[in-house]
Amino acid sequence: MKIARIETFLVPPRWLFCRIETDDGVVGWGEPVVEGRAEVVRAAVDVLAEYLVGRDPLRIQDHWQVLSKGGFYRGGPILSSAVAGLDQALWDIAGKTYGAPVHALLGGPVRDTVRVYAWVGGDEPAQLTEQITAQIEAGFTAVKMNAAGRVAPIATPAETAAVIERVTTAREVVGPHRDVAVDCHGRFTPAGARRLLAELAPLHPLFVEEPLLPEQTHLLAGLVSGSPVPVATGERLYDRPGFLPALTAGIAVAQPDPSHAGGITEVHRIAALAETYGAQLAPHCPLGPIALAASLQIALAVPNFLIQEQSLGIHYNKEADLLSYVVDPEPFRFTAGHARRTELPGLGVTVDEAAVRTADRRGHAWRNPVWRHADGSFAEW
């Protein structure tokens, strides 16, 4: 069996899919994308495809080594995301070839269900009570919200108080037996993050995500050692070397993205590395159905898994949603806030190829917002 063809599809709202077909008709799907730079990743996939076409798709580990390390310059979000989507598609082919779900190929399931959480509040949190209530009524046992919109270089007392007020509202709605996670999105400076973590402690968040920017990982140890709440990070870290300093700093939750951090192959290894540091895994995934399917396969096979992000109804999904490009929504049917283990082969999702090809003809040019402070200077989004 040889790889015969590799295609990419730019589909709304902001995703990129790839399709690998073998010479005997087996098809695997992946989701290689950097949000806001999908076209650039598409070009990277085209370059990497030159190596893969004509080769055995089942040599996944060997292909990962060559795709990731075969160039003198390596790493970074564009290359790692291109590799990630191709890697997902190769695992999908392997599962379909062997007639087994990917989690079986990773050593078998360690759980029967995967806990998931829902997003509320949007980029600049609002209408929390109504949105959280709706998610609870839908069966979710955990929600995540942004801490704030744009924040001053050192958060004012009013800005910090507003965060605490919002999280207090969330805690009151979810109650003591459900969870709320808080995402700082790298919008706080180290001084502001330190103050915020202390004030959030009485509200017992499940975790506080990205209190610092990824380029400030060298400052994480000081923040974590003084933090009374669990610290999570990793959506903008792309490999084990990138996660190592965060793990040695003592983060409680690692958040690699299977569409950014080298795919199933590398995220599975990041999970094992995190386990040696006592850290839990909560894969980042505000993306499409293929990325989520890959995340769920990892979650089923990883002992130190905590909770899974998913994008159903997320504020980015304007023109299409999680189920827009799948034939059967059953793998993404969440019961009591959990996805059930699937025994379907490969990634366990059937892509609606006709819908994907139609959407690609429309395409998209999604870009993340560029924020500015009141004085006109750049603000973290």
Side-chain angles (χ1 to χ4, degrees):
M1 184 167 61
K2 304 295 182 185
I3 295 172
R5 182 168 55 156
I6 298 175
E7 301 174 272
T8 55
F9 306 92
L10 200 64
V11 298
R14 57 180 190 154
W15 306 330
L16 180 70
F17 295 168
C18 72
R19 179 185 184 274
I20 300 181
E21 182 177 354
T22 70
D23 56 0
D24 58 358
V26 181
V27 173
W29 289 88
E31 194 166 335
V33 67
V34 171
E35 300 92 300
R37 300 290 185 267
E39 304 94 326
V40 184
V41 181
R42 186 179 216 175
V45 170
D46 288 344
V47 171
L48 296 177
E50 296 172 5
Y51 172 80
L52 285 176
V53 171
R55 299 185 186 273
D56 179 356
L58 300 181
R59 297 189 62 178
I60 299 174
Q61 295 285 352
D62 186 64
H63 294 328
W64 191 93
Q65 296 293 322
V66 174
L67 296 177
S68 297
K69 302 177 180 179
F72 185 72
Y73 298 98
R74 56 183 73 169
I78 301 300
L79 177 61
S80 292
S81 298
V83 172
L86 292 166
D87 181 81
Q88 292 168 9
L90 293 176
W91 278 103
D92 196 24
I93 288 172
K96 291 172 179 175
T97 300
Y98 296 125
V102 168
H103 64 75
L105 304 185
L106 294 174
V110 297
R111 58 182 50 83
D112 297 320
T113 63
V114 174
R115 190 185 185 200
V116 299
Y117 65 81
W119 261 96
V120 294
D123 269 337
E124 301 191 69
Q127 300 176 319
L128 287 171
T129 298
E130 296 85 351
Q131 292 186 34
I132 296 172
T133 299
Q135 298 296 359
I136 291 174
E137 291 174 350
F140 289 98
T141 62
V143 297
K144 190 173 82 174
M145 56 184 285
N146 276 313
R150 66 208 77 197
V151 180
I154 295 182
T156 66
E159 287 175 323
T160 302
V163 176
I164 302 306
E165 181 180 353
R166 283 190 287 268
V167 181
T168 298
T169 296
R171 172 52 69 197
E172 289 172 349
V173 177
V174 302
H177 301 296
R178 300 183 187 90
D179 285 307
V180 56
V182 181
D183 190 352
C184 291
H185 225 252
R187 294 170 184 169
F188 290 80
T189 60
R194 188 172 295 110
R195 177 181 292 164
L196 180 65
L197 289 173
E199 296 201 28
L200 283 172
L203 299 170
H204 295 278
L206 178 64
F207 55 75
V208 174
E209 178 176 337
E210 259 197 338
L212 299 180
L213 291 165
E215 55 264 37
Q216 296 169 337
T217 301
H218 60 289
L219 300 176
L220 263 178
L223 188 70
V224 169
S225 65
S227 173
V229 300
V231 171
T233 198
E235 69 183 76
R236 289 186 275 184
L237 302 175
Y238 310 116
D239 51 23
R240 282 162 291 158
F243 270 90
L244 185 58
L247 291 166
T248 57
I251 62 168
V253 183
Q255 298 176 295
D257 188 316
S259 279
H260 299 327
I264 292 170
T265 297
E266 183 69 351
V267 171
H268 192 249
R269 293 191 289 232
I270 290 169
L273 177 64
E275 188 180 9
T276 67
Y277 285 89
Q280 302 297 299
L281 192 80
H284 178 257
C285 188
L287 294 169
I290 305 168
L292 180 57
S295 296
L296 293 174
Q297 295 293 332
I298 296 167
L300 287 164
V302 167
N304 56 325
F305 168 79
L306 177 67
I307 196 167
Q308 177 62 55
E309 181 174 27
Q310 54 82 30
S311 71
L312 191 62
I314 200 170
H315 49 287
Y316 302 120
N317 295 354
K318 305 292 187 188
E319 302 173 60
D321 211 328
L322 181 64
L323 305 180
S324 297
Y325 303 110
V326 298
V327 173
D328 180 9
E330 190 61 32
F332 306 120
R333 193 180 304 282
F334 306 130
T335 303
H338 289 71
R340 294 203 61 80
R341 187 178 81 227
T342 176
E343 295 302 324
L344 295 171
L347 294 179
V349 61
T350 302
V351 174
D352 185 340
E353 188 169 323
V356 168
R357 292 186 182 277
T358 297
D360 180 59
R361 287 195 289 271
R362 185 167 77 255
H364 71 82
W366 189 87
R367 301 290 183 263
N368 64 248
V370 175
W371 283 357
R372 295 191 179 275
H373 294 298
D375 65 0
S377 62
F378 175 81
E380 289 290 342
W381 169 68

